[in-house]
Amino acid sequence: MQHYLSINDIDSLPDWVDGARALKIDPLQSKSLGKDKTIGLLFFNNSLRTRLSTQKAAMNLGMEVIVMNFGNEGWALEYGDGTIMNQGKSEHIKEAARVVSQYCDIIGIRAFASLTDQKKDEAELVLNGFKEYASVPILNMESSVGHPLQALTDAITLAENSNKAKPKVVLSWAPHPKALPHAVANSFIQIMQRQDADFVITHPKGYELDPTITKNSQIEYDQRKALENADFVYVKNWSSYDDYGKVLSQDQNWMITKEKLGDAKFMHCLPVRRNVVAEDTVLDSDQSLVIEQANNRTYAAQIVLKKILEHLK
Ligand code: CP
């Protein structure tokens, strides 16, 4: 079964990026591929881009789409094996995943990290529960640990906007009033590790990400030094990984300003808090790629669904 759970499920990144760019030129080229197939998109958390772009991608492939806000409208799910279910949980993942598999040919899951229980978050209970018990392919629409649809989008956007064989790409932490997950940063790092780029991560001390993900990627604690001669600046907040889920700093000196950006292109997955993460003049400038990134979400989802559908045939 071909799932899309992480960017490790991409066999050839250049081929997938080229395939997505071809779909962007002609979105309806495979309109009959998804005929009589249904995708169910289950949201345990909020979404704008993922929800609409994945729906649009499926429609471009001729699929029927069922969307459910599972977090608000579904039964509270139990994931433990052998649990005596006499407390708040009404339904077990074993039944839920099998039931949804009868209605859908592909199941998309969005389930964020709790940021309160690192072990449980890293076990990816919701995503892996559906993977284990569903009988159809699973699409990760952002889990505790990764956001592979966003990362594929970012690779497409970089390919479209880069005129250098080896651009300098900086992932910069920025302040945010709320504790945010690590998923977007993790997947962006993983996809950058598969690209030919001069890649640098910059964040305040204490915001080191999972070392099994950052591996040998360069980390520079001085943001201004990291940003020198950057071609692309990808900005994202995340909470502490070591002091799990904590906001250690809201230092506004880390906000991206036009002056700091220089001539680089600005990237962010959205939603973005204006004048906290990046100032208006950055987001409103021609250097901002955020709207094009959001547009590319459709074609990233479409190439992934196309690969899964081709595998189903
Ligand atoms: N970037 C992203 O995943 O956006 P949504 O949370 O709105 O889906």
Side-chain angles (χ1 to χ4, degrees):
M1 181 142 28
Q2 177 154 353
H3 302 292
Y4 187 66
L5 302 174
S6 78
I7 66 153
N8 294 332
D9 293 318
I10 301 173
D11 50 9
S12 165
L13 183 57
D15 286 354
W16 287 43
V17 168
D18 288 349
R21 293 178 73 179
L23 287 166
K24 189 172 181 178
I25 293 165
D26 182 8
L28 303 181
Q29 63 175 256
S30 300
K31 179 81 183 173
S32 57
L33 186 64
K35 188 173 177 300
D36 301 328
K37 297 271 191 261
T38 300
I39 186 168
L41 306 179
L42 307 185
F43 286 88
F44 291 78
N45 302 97
N46 295 349
S47 172
L48 171 62
R49 281 143 289 274
T50 305
R51 179 168 173 158
L52 298 187
S53 63
T54 309
Q55 202 163 341
K56 177 77 177 169
M59 284 157 38
N60 284 347
L61 292 164
M63 300 187 81
E64 299 294 331
V65 185
I66 299 171
V67 183
M68 181 173 179
N69 293 323
F70 208 108
N72 303 331
E73 296 161 2
W75 300 109
L77 294 183
E78 173 60 48
Y79 298 92
D81 216 9
T83 309
I84 298 168
M85 290 173 57
N86 60 0
Q87 300 294 315
K89 305 288 174 62
S90 306
E91 178 155 31
H92 203 281
I93 184 68
K94 290 185 182 184
E95 281 77 46
R98 287 171 178 150
V99 167
V100 180
S101 301
Q102 296 175 105
Y103 311 143
C104 303
D105 301 283
I106 302 172
I107 303 173
I109 304 289
R110 164 163 284 203
F112 289 171
S114 66
L115 296 179
T116 55
D117 187 328
Q118 189 166 17
K119 253 193 176 159
K120 270 192 181 165
D121 284 349
E122 293 191 338
E124 305 249 54
L125 291 182
V126 185
L127 188 72
N128 284 331
F130 274 92
K131 181 192 163 200
E132 186 167 357
Y133 296 112
S135 54
V136 299
I138 303 299
L139 172 69
N140 182 351
M141 301 194 299
E142 187 171 343
S143 64
S144 303
V145 175
H147 196 353
L149 286 174
Q150 182 65 52
L152 180 55
T153 298
D154 300 331
I156 297 163
T157 311
L158 283 168
E160 284 178 336
N161 287 280
S162 184
N163 50 14
K164 287 187 184 171
K166 193 173 177 182
K168 180 171 179 184
V169 181
V170 180
L171 170 63
S172 179
W173 180 93
H176 196 282
K178 288 175 67 180
L180 296 189
H182 310 106
V184 170
N186 285 346
S187 291
F188 185 70
I189 291 166
Q190 288 174 319
I191 213 142
M192 288 313 302
Q193 289 167 345
R194 290 178 61 166
Q195 306 243 37
D196 203 10
D198 174 10
F199 179 54
V200 183
I201 304 167
T202 184
H203 56 70
K205 287 196 172 152
Y207 278 98
E208 289 77 9
L209 288 157
D210 181 350
T212 66
I213 288 176
T214 52
K215 293 182 181 158
N216 294 327
S217 290
Q218 186 188 341
I219 298 171
E220 169 58 64
Y221 294 108
D222 181 337
Q223 188 193 40
R224 284 194 180 267
K225 202 166 163 199
L227 294 176
E228 277 171 14
N229 301 317
D231 296 300
F232 296 90
V233 180
Y234 196 105
V235 181
K236 185 72 186 83
N237 171 271
W238 60 85
S239 55
S240 174
Y241 178 76
D242 287 336
D243 196 354
Y244 192 68
K246 297 286 184 307
V247 176
L248 306 178
S249 162
Q250 295 196 31
D251 185 353
Q252 278 304 114
N253 289 322
W254 279 79
M255 178 175 73
I256 296 295
T257 62
K258 194 82 183 337
E259 184 262 315
K260 279 193 217 172
L261 187 64
D263 295 329
K265 301 279 189 195
F266 174 82
M267 297 177 74
H268 191 284
C269 62
L270 301 182
V272 65
R273 298 222 180 195
R274 282 175 171 254
N275 304 308
V276 176
V277 171
E279 63 181 12
D280 281 337
T281 50
V282 169
L283 286 157
D284 294 333
S285 77
D286 292 344
Q287 289 162 252
S288 173
L289 300 179
V290 299
I291 303 303
E292 202 48 43
Q293 279 175 271
N295 184 30
N296 285 338
R297 289 296 306 269
T298 298
Y299 309 105
Q302 199 170 334
I303 190 69
V304 170
L305 293 179
K306 184 168 179 275
K307 298 276 181 191
I308 295 173
L309 286 168
E310 284 166 350
H311 208 260
L312 280 180
K313 288 263 168 199

